[in-house]
Amino acid sequence: MTGQLTAVVTGGTRGFGRGITEALAKAGYTTVTVARGDDADVVADVAAPGVAERVLAEHAPAVLVLNAGAVPDIRPVHEQTWESFSAPWEVDVRQAFEWCRAALRGPLAPGSVVVLLSSGAALAGSPRSGGYAGAKAMVRFVARYADEEAARLGLGIRFVALLPGLSPGTGVGNAGADAYSAKQGISVEEFTARLGPVVTPEGAGAAVLAVLDDPGGAYKLSADGLEVLQ
């Protein structure tokens, strides 16, 4: 790595995003974080129209990691409103759509890799988080659709989905731990202990580096590492 390649990470200032950004920086990439907080390199709503096109045109990343997402409203389905239920679709799915569309239409340079953070909830469901599980399943689909189009068009861009399990210590993970410990009538500490080892921000960073040389697809991510999903 020469240090001349750029990696853009949405939601790259905390949680998994921080771990991913740090791992890419250590690997020699110039990193650019995009988030709403003032501590981001680019302060923006990642799901807003035009943001993806502007950031990709300015920074021309060799690696793009779509990590940002909404913390879901943690309530049973009958206690949700449509607005709370659909929030992950408006943020997580729209981000995937806007940025993958921009990467294909730009297009990014041949050899570029786009990594989308989905969730293990896309496989198992998540009855206390509204539309979150369905949104994360759609994120995985968007990655596959974009990868197929890149291959059809001969662009040389790869799209990869990572599906990490519930990980207390992140914004979404803490919300999930609170909800499901209450559902089971146990403390958050007991619930977390029952989970066993979980994916850490450092583990998420290592996983992103590991898939950069892979041919694309989807991977379940746990504390034990990556598992290819068919």
Side-chain angles (χ1 to χ4, degrees), residues 41-65:
D41 297 309
V42 178
V43 179
D45 177 351
V46 298
V51 170
E53 287 85 353
R54 173 170 61 86
V55 173
L56 297 187
E58 180 176 353
H59 297 284
V63 174
L64 170 62
V65 182

Side-chain angles (χ1 to χ4, degrees), residues 111-201:
S112 299
V113 182
V114 182
V115 181
L116 293 85
L117 270 291
S118 176
S119 169
L123 302 173
S126 181
R128 281 293 193 273
S129 59
Y132 177 79
K136 288 304 191 181
M138 192 67 236
V139 169
R140 180 186 175 187
F141 279 127
V142 171
R144 192 182 80 186
Y145 299 163
D147 198 58
E148 291 172 352
E149 285 303 299
R152 183 181 68 85
L153 297 169
L155 298 180
I157 306 170
R158 292 181 291 113
F159 294 79
V160 182
L162 291 181
L163 285 71
L166 177 64
S167 299
T170 66
V172 173
N174 288 339
D178 288 342
Y180 288 107
S181 61
K183 182 181 180 182
Q184 295 175 23
I186 60 177
S187 68
V188 172
E189 292 75 17
E190 184 178 354
F191 175 83
T192 301
R194 289 182 183 181
L195 287 178
V198 299
V199 180
T200 63

Side-chain angles (χ1 to χ4, degrees), residues 71-147:
V71 176
D73 191 313
I74 303 296
R75 287 182 290 173
V77 64
H78 67 288
E79 296 180 7
Q80 299 270 347
T81 65
W82 176 246
E83 288 72 23
S84 67
F85 186 91
S86 63
W89 287 80
E90 294 295 340
V91 179
D92 302 51
V93 178
R94 183 151 193 180
Q95 172 193 223
F97 169 77
E98 295 285 352
W99 288 78
C100 289
R101 179 176 182 268
L104 291 169
R105 289 168 67 94
L108 291 181
S112 299
V113 182
V114 182
V115 181
L116 293 85
L117 270 291
S118 176
S119 169
L123 302 173
S126 181
R128 281 293 193 273
S129 59
Y132 177 79
K136 288 304 191 181
M138 192 67 236
V139 169
R140 180 186 175 187
F141 279 127
V142 171
R144 192 182 80 186
Y145 299 163
D147 198 58

